Amino acid sequence: MKKLLNTLFVTLPDTYLGLDGENIVVKQEEEILARYPLHNLEAVCTFGYAGVSPALMGACASRNVSLTFMTRTGRFLARVIGEDRGNVVLRKEQYRISDDEVRSARVARNMITGKLYNNKWILERATRDYALRIDTERIKKVTESLGETMKLLREVEQLDILRGLEGSAAVQYNSVFDDLILQQKESFYFYGRSRRPPLDKVNALLSFAYTLLANDMKSALESVGLDAYVGFLHRDRPGRASLALDMMEELRGVYADRFVLSLINKKVVNDKGFYVKENLAVIMDDETRKKVLKAWQERKQEKIMHPYLNEKIPWGLVPYTQALLLARYIRGDLDEYPPFLWK
Amino acid sequence: MLILITYDVSTIDSEGRRRLSKVAKKCVDHGQRVQNSVFECILDAAQFRRLRFELEELIDKDTDSLRFYNLGDNYKRKVQHVGAKDSYDMGDPLIL
């Protein structure tokens, strides 16, 4: 199994990243702040104004270190991609599936089933662990309806129907998401999903977590030789990594939502770490962003049992293992794509 | 695993000084300089074998020496630092 390496996050403004031998060197006004050997890194992620030398870009691309640029607020800007990896036969088969609605739907319905299964588990776990603190009756109704939708999903072969079922399940799940926030309720609440821009603190955290997860997913897909931009459920649109978004569906809940909930419930973040811009967008300050990134990295190191591979792996490798399983399915080594079913 | 590398390179002649800078450069490429000729490198078994081979090629075995200490995967408990110039831990979140 691949080893999970570290990710370097650069949040300082006015930094420049260069290459020295096999080291990535972080400079601020000619002063060297840090140097790390590239072979210890899996990804480099910059927020703000960090410039990067072409030599470092090339070194990252050839050593399979993903290099991503984001705005200060965590919106995705650009990514460095090197020569295409993997084999073209695999990618062509991926395109063929993507062009075929029925075959696309067969893969996509497994992903959506995974999503509903995982979200159902999140809710059921909450009712089990905090039975006295939350409205279990209300949540129970939602988990039952998620179970019903999962049954309906089994035979679906049209993408539109799939999207409809997925949408209604998402509405159900979102309607009780606020109940899972157990601490700091006066400042953290969830009335509904808002994005571009996120209008409250929970949405700001969710958007940030989804961006981080999407980047991990894109790099994972590329490292197994798939094209992250050609999806099955999400159709092609220039500049959108549709396959990464497809693959994220089953992980949004267990990976990102639960991460955000634990940040709030464990009081890693607090009310003061956010501010509101003129356009009503809620943004976290630099201090909070660092705390979130630190917690994200620590979460990635935590080990879980992968239910399909039956192997203990760190959370951070889940996007990679799912990408690997999808590649095996496309190649024809597996009869179905096995989504990540969290236990 | 964490490999601690230390070296002594004889610098009596200019040839020795050249060897010293080459050895130092090679070590900087693979890890963190914690003291003047002491490096901590996080390597897997294959990377370690290669680095060791490359370093052995650089030195003159009659006058110079290299030492490798393998501190394994659970190195955190095994290293303590006192005094100036504290180091970073490659296993911790790296956020600047």
Side-chain angles (χ1 to χ4, degrees):
Chain A
M1 178 55 69
K2 181 181 143 92
K3 200 162 173 266
L4 179 67
L5 302 172
N6 216 332
T7 304
L8 170 66
F9 293 100
V10 184
T11 65
L12 290 170
D14 307 319
T15 44
Y16 189 78
L17 311 182
L19 181 72
D20 178 24
E22 290 289 306
N23 285 184
I24 173 169
V25 179
V26 184
K27 283 188 210 158
Q28 200 170 30
E29 290 173 4
E30 295 308 307
E31 185 202 351
I32 292 179
L33 295 178
R35 61 163 68 231
Y36 305 107
L38 274 179
H39 71 256
N40 288 140
L41 293 177
E42 165 128 350
V44 179
C45 201
T46 76
F47 297 85
Y49 312 110
V52 176
S53 78
L56 179 64
M57 290 189 199
C60 284
S62 69
R63 284 168 188 72
N64 225 351
V65 178
S66 93
L67 178 56
T68 329
F69 301 93
M70 313 234 231
T71 65
R72 301 222 63 154
T73 52
R75 206 165 50 81
F76 174 80
L77 284 175
R79 221 152 49 87
V80 175
I81 311 175
E83 241 179 299
D84 271 329
R85 280 168 204 290
N87 70 41
V88 58
V89 184
L90 176 72
R91 262 197 303 281
K92 277 182 100 171
E93 185 61 21
Q94 179 193 348
Y95 299 154
R96 269 181 226 120
I97 296 178
S98 173
D99 280 341
D100 182 335
E101 162 132 354
V102 175
R103 289 180 74 193
S104 290
R106 277 187 201 141
V107 189
R109 78 179 173 210
N110 285 8
M111 293 166 175
I112 300 300
T113 305
K115 174 179 183 166
L116 297 199
Y117 177 94
N118 291 336
N119 288 359
K120 187 161 169 265
W121 243 117
I122 294 173
L123 298 176
E124 277 175 4
R125 261 205 186 191
T127 54
R128 188 188 69 192
D129 294 348
Y130 306 106
L132 298 174
R133 298 175 66 182
I134 52 182
D135 187 350
T136 47
E137 281 305 305
R138 214 158 81 89
I139 290 185
K140 199 148 197 192
K141 273 194 201 123
V142 174
T143 56
E144 274 166 13
S145 104
L146 289 180
E148 290 300 313
T149 314
M150 273 163 65
K151 279 184 206 148
L152 294 176
L153 278 172
R154 271 186 212 154
E155 303 300 325
V156 177
E157 291 196 330
Q158 281 148 296
L159 287 169
D160 283 340
I161 297 178
L162 204 53
R163 284 193 197 101
L165 290 173
E166 196 267 326
S168 67
V171 171
Q172 293 270 330
Y173 169 76
N174 282 344
S175 72
V176 291
F177 189 73
D178 190 50
D179 293 29
L180 305 181
I181 300 172
L182 301 169
Q183 300 285 341
Q184 314 189 76
K185 285 213 83 117
E186 59 296 335
S187 38
F188 291 92
Y189 42 78
F190 184 84
Y191 297 142
R193 180 86 178 109
S194 59
R195 59 215 182 105
R196 296 191 209 109
L199 298 173
D200 58 54
K201 299 181 195 86
V202 175
N203 274 301
L205 289 169
L206 284 174
S207 290
F208 192 61
Y210 292 154
T211 315
L212 293 176
L213 181 57
N215 281 326
D216 288 351
M217 200 69 243
K218 274 184 264 185
S219 323
L221 287 168
E222 257 158 35
S223 71
V224 300
L226 288 167
D227 186 337
Y229 290 81
V230 177
F232 304 134
L233 183 64
H234 293 83
R235 303 317 293 176
D236 302 346
R237 189 194 289 168
R240 179 168 81 173
S242 300
L243 186 60
L245 296 176
D246 286 356
M247 297 289 290
M248 264 177 74
E249 289 299 345
E250 62 203 59
L251 297 178
R252 271 176 206 268
V254 275
Y255 209 135
D257 296 358
R258 279 181 68 238
F259 170 72
V260 168
L261 287 170
S262 75
L263 287 178
I264 299 167
N265 290 338
K266 287 183 180 158
K267 299 187 179 170
V268 178
V269 295
N270 61 45
D271 189 29
K272 294 189 191 73
F274 297 81
Y275 59 90
V276 184
K277 288 211 314 192
E278 307 83 63
N279 63 351
L280 298 180
V282 175
I283 311 281
M284 56 185 118
D285 64 20
D286 293 354
E287 196 54 36
T288 304
R289 189 170 310 112
K290 273 192 189 178
K291 278 188 215 157
V292 173
L293 289 172
K294 182 161 180 284
W296 180 260
Q297 281 307 97
E298 282 162 359
R299 164 63 59 92
K300 278 204 211 172
Q301 305 281 346
E302 279 171 30
K303 295 253 168 86
I304 44 142
M305 195 68 181
H306 193 287
Y308 186 81
L309 298 174
N310 229 346
E311 196 175 331
K312 241 188 168 172
I313 56 164
W315 261 110
L317 277 187
V318 171
Y320 173 77
T321 54
Q322 291 311 116
L324 203 65
L325 290 171
L326 182 67
R328 283 191 198 160
Y329 164 74
I330 291 173
R331 213 179 282 135
D333 294 344
L334 293 174
D335 293 335
E336 294 244 10
Y337 165 67
F340 180 76
L341 302 176
W342 180 54
K343 275 192 235 171
Chain B
M1 57 199 179
L2 181 72
I3 308 286
L4 184 80
I5 304 174
T6 66
Y7 53 75
D8 246 343
V9 178
S10 164
T11 52
I12 304 168
D13 51 3
S14 66
E15 195 52 40
R17 283 189 285 279
R18 265 193 41 203
R19 285 201 305 277
L20 177 69
S21 76
K22 276 188 180 163
V23 171
K25 181 93 180 62
K26 182 63 69 190
C27 289
V28 170
D29 275 352
H30 289 84
Q32 168 179 209
R33 183 173 223 147
V34 286
Q35 286 178 346
N36 281 338
S37 48
V38 181
F39 287 82
E40 287 179 9
C41 308
I42 305 276
L43 303 167
D44 62 31
Q47 287 167 333
F48 174 44
R49 285 291 288 270
R50 188 163 60 226
L51 177 60
R52 193 183 144 170
F53 174 78
E54 286 171 353
L55 285 171
E56 278 180 43
E57 294 280 286
L58 289 175
I59 62 164
D60 176 349
K61 283 188 182 144
D62 295 329
T63 54
D64 312 336
S65 67
L66 282 165
R67 289 182 84 85
F68 301 96
Y69 303 82
N70 188 341
L71 297 176
D73 286 325
N74 299 316
Y75 54 86
K76 281 196 183 171
R77 294 183 301 113
K78 295 179 184 156
V79 183
Q80 291 174 13
H81 182 92
V82 179
K85 209 182 135 205
D86 201 2
S87 59
Y88 64 85
D89 187 327
M90 203 60 218
D92 285 345
L94 301 176
I95 301 164
L96 289 170

